[in-house]
Amino acid sequence: MKDGTPATPRPSFVKRLKSKITQVDWMMMFPVLAAIAWLYGEEAVAMVLVAVLPAMIALDAGGRSRARAAAHLNIGAASGRPIHRRALQQVVDDVVEECQSQDRTMAVMQVQVDDLHIADGEWGATINDTAMERLIQRVSVVLRGPDIVLRSGDDCLMVALAPTRRADLDVVMNIVDRIQAAISEPLKLEGRTMRVHSCIGICTLAMAPAPTGAALLAAADCALRIARRQGDDSVRAFNPDIQAQVEIDHRLASQIDQALEAGHLRPWFQPQIDGRTGAIVGFEALARWHHPDLGVLSPAQFLGTVTSSGRSAEMGEAILKASLEALRTWDRAGIDVPSVGINLSLEELTDPRLAERIIWEVDRYDLAPERVAVEILETVTLRDGDETIMRNLTTLRNEGFRLDLDDFGTGAASIAHIARFGVHRIKIDRSFISGLDKDEGQRKVVSAILSLAKQLDIDTLAEGVETPEEQDMLGRMGCPHLQGFGIARPMPLEETIDWALRRSGQAADGLRDMHPQGNA
């Protein structure tokens, strides 16, 4: 080379020939060759081309793939334990090297298995390992022989596609569909059944910032992180925008302590109203990060970072204190706000001292416990085998705090679970409210939920009310409480006072219109 850089040696002719004839893609030629052999009366040759040779090549390819992976994974792979990151990078580096020598391409997928829930308790670590091994076997079945699937974390798999002619997004998404279908099938272990979902991050060789195992894995991790924010079965492919978002996540992660100390993590409040009179029945406290450079960030932009940093409890405590201060502010302003709703994360609920801390804070602010509504996700009720969660919720309920079941209808909470947890109100998920006035099917579902709640003597609140038509329909169906952008967006505390005073006047006008003779 003129610049002094040594030329990369080309593989020998024999090695190049062997690498080409052992590709699975060549098997598409065998039927054609077999037909020619049959035409010339060479039945034995035709049989070899149709059945024997393809099977041998496929087995050899799978064996070489497994041998390549095993060379870097030693006994970790055999034991079912997660594989060290450096070993995973080396495996992907080897596949990339093959691609470069054969003018092929490949893709890497990081597959995150969602939280494992069952109806009668939580799985132990040993059973989780067994479940992950079973999932690896399932995923292996739906892949090609040379493809590699390895456990890359406690609940994460890495899939590396072997060198192939095409690895564009259409091809990879076909594989993703097969992987997610295999994972979503119910798992039966030790007489119990587990249902899981998965989020997947994708990076093909063409998408990668650099043609290395480290770059491909890091890019797939970035895509997975964004996919996990979207919920069950979400899939994202790497692109520069995703990389920029993940870089912001890293920046926020380093600033959480400072934000908590400076009070930059504080709630905005979204009103909840009576569907019949329009009167305020409460506010829900929703976390916001008032970032000095990035502006006001919504939970979708920072909640994952806070959770992964293990700071959910500190943020929850800051939101609680600010919400209690808000109740006192509304009282001083002469605004009747019966309650404020605070969201409790799973991390907070598993703290044995959570209930005692909340009770102490509410008492310190000299407020009645019934003025605080504790909001829990429907999936929490599936963890009824968790003694700590049950103890916290039971203690809070017995002390007079209200329990709201959030996002009702999106999980698998049964009537028995709702009754056992002593829920005071269920919040119907926005997915059932959108287009309610136009969709008869939606109305039937909501009507059934309202009927169930009435039989159980539980209040209901419709989330995500966007239009006057939806609000009117819910009022006619008898839904007592409403919340959504059609009523008001979340707002800072200082804005709630003017809004509430205007709303109180409107509610009073509404009551006079309904009972004119009583207000003459």
Side-chain angles (χ1 to χ4, degrees), residues 417-434:
H417 283 90
I418 295 172
R420 180 179 179 185
F421 275 78
V423 172
H424 295 93
R425 183 171 66 176
I426 56 178
K427 302 181 71 175
I428 306 172
D429 186 69
R430 67 185 67 244
S431 61
F432 298 106
I433 305 304
S434 178

Side-chain angles (χ1 to χ4, degrees), residues 340-515:
V340 64
I342 59 169
N343 294 275
L344 294 182
S345 67
L346 183 59
E347 180 184 336
E348 293 174 276
L349 286 167
T350 53
D351 177 0
R353 299 189 181 277
L354 172 71
E356 286 78 3
R357 283 208 310 272
I358 293 177
I359 292 169
W360 186 85
E361 286 290 350
V362 172
D363 183 65
R364 188 167 71 90
Y365 277 85
D366 194 24
L367 294 166
E370 59 265 22
R371 296 193 67 187
V372 177
V374 174
E375 299 199 10
I376 58 173
L377 291 173
E378 187 179 7
T379 50
V380 170
T381 66
L382 300 178
R383 302 174 64 98
D384 59 354
D386 194 312
E387 184 179 349
T388 304
I389 292 177
M390 284 299 300
R391 178 177 176 273
N392 278 323
L393 294 178
T394 301
T395 301
L396 291 170
R397 186 179 63 239
N398 292 342
E399 286 292 322
F401 291 84
R402 297 183 59 81
L403 296 184
D404 281 3
L405 188 63
D406 203 6
D407 295 342
F408 182 78
T410 60
S414 67
I415 297 174
H417 283 90
I418 295 172
R420 180 179 179 185
F421 275 78
V423 172
H424 295 93
R425 183 171 66 176
I426 56 178
K427 302 181 71 175
I428 306 172
D429 186 69
R430 67 185 67 244
S431 61
F432 298 106
I433 305 304
S434 178
L436 179 78
D437 55 306
K438 304 181 183 68
D439 190 329
E440 184 179 355
Q442 294 279 74
R443 290 196 294 274
K444 288 180 179 179
V445 172
V446 173
S447 179
I449 295 174
L450 293 172
S451 177
L452 167 66
K454 185 176 181 180
Q455 291 297 320
L456 295 175
D457 196 25
I458 295 173
D459 275 341
T460 49
L461 179 146
E463 295 184 289
V465 180
E466 301 281 351
T467 66
E469 292 78 15
E470 291 171 356
Q471 184 173 342
D472 179 65
M473 178 60 69
L474 286 163
R476 285 191 279 145
M477 294 176 69
C479 185
H481 300 157
L482 310 175
Q483 177 180 348
F485 286 178
I487 296 159
R489 292 177 177 269
M491 63 190 85
L493 175 61
E494 55 271 19
E495 293 181 16
T496 63
I497 296 176
D498 286 341
W499 184 91
L501 290 173
R502 291 196 306 271
R503 189 77 196 186
S504 296
Q506 293 170 6
D509 292 342
L511 284 173
R512 284 193 292 270
D513 291 341
M514 292 169 62
H515 307 286

Side-chain angles (χ1 to χ4, degrees), residues 205-380:
L205 191 55
M207 298 173 182
T212 66
L216 278 155
L217 285 171
D221 285 340
C222 287
L224 175 61
R225 183 164 187 160
I226 302 302
R228 292 191 66 191
R229 292 183 180 177
Q230 311 304 315
D232 290 345
D233 297 325
S234 294
V235 180
R236 291 294 180 273
F238 178 79
N239 60 51
D241 290 339
I242 283 180
Q243 184 172 12
Q245 181 59 59
V246 171
E247 288 172 357
I248 291 176
D249 288 348
H250 288 310
R251 177 181 175 184
L252 294 178
S254 67
Q255 297 173 339
I256 291 176
D257 289 341
Q258 179 184 352
L260 287 167
E261 291 174 6
H264 293 160
L265 283 165
R266 57 183 183 267
W268 281 21
F269 299 92
Q270 186 170 32
Q272 301 165 342
I273 66 168
D274 187 302
R276 185 179 65 91
T277 67
I280 299 170
V281 297
F283 282 90
E284 180 181 1
L286 300 165
R288 293 292 186 271
W289 187 330
H290 292 249
H291 196 281
D293 301 321
L294 302 175
V296 178
L297 305 179
S298 69
Q301 296 171 287
F302 67 83
L303 201 55
T305 302
V306 172
T307 302
S308 62
S309 301
R311 307 308 298 274
S312 294
E314 288 89 339
M315 184 183 75
E317 187 174 353
I319 299 301
L320 171 64
K321 290 179 179 178
S323 299
L324 298 177
E325 186 61 47
L327 281 172
R328 294 211 303 193
T329 299
W330 293 321
D331 289 346
R332 288 193 293 265
I335 300 169
D336 181 19
V337 178
S339 69
V340 64
I342 59 169
N343 294 275
L344 294 182
S345 67
L346 183 59
E347 180 184 336
E348 293 174 276
L349 286 167
T350 53
D351 177 0
R353 299 189 181 277
L354 172 71
E356 286 78 3
R357 283 208 310 272
I358 293 177
I359 292 169
W360 186 85
E361 286 290 350
V362 172
D363 183 65
R364 188 167 71 90
Y365 277 85
D366 194 24
L367 294 166
E370 59 265 22
R371 296 193 67 187
V372 177
V374 174
E375 299 199 10
I376 58 173
L377 291 173
E378 187 179 7
T379 50
V380 170

Side-chain angles (χ1 to χ4, degrees), residues 8-45:
T8 302
R10 296 187 63 194
S12 67
F13 172 78
V14 173
K15 185 175 181 180
R16 295 201 309 274
L17 181 62
K18 182 180 178 182
S19 70
K20 289 188 177 295
I21 65 174
T22 55
Q23 292 301 310
V24 176
D25 306 62
W26 275 85
M27 289 193 291
M28 69 179 65
M29 296 296 298
F30 293 159
V32 177
L33 298 174
I36 295 172
W38 191 274
L39 183 64
Y40 283 94
E42 298 293 340
E43 291 87 350
V45 174

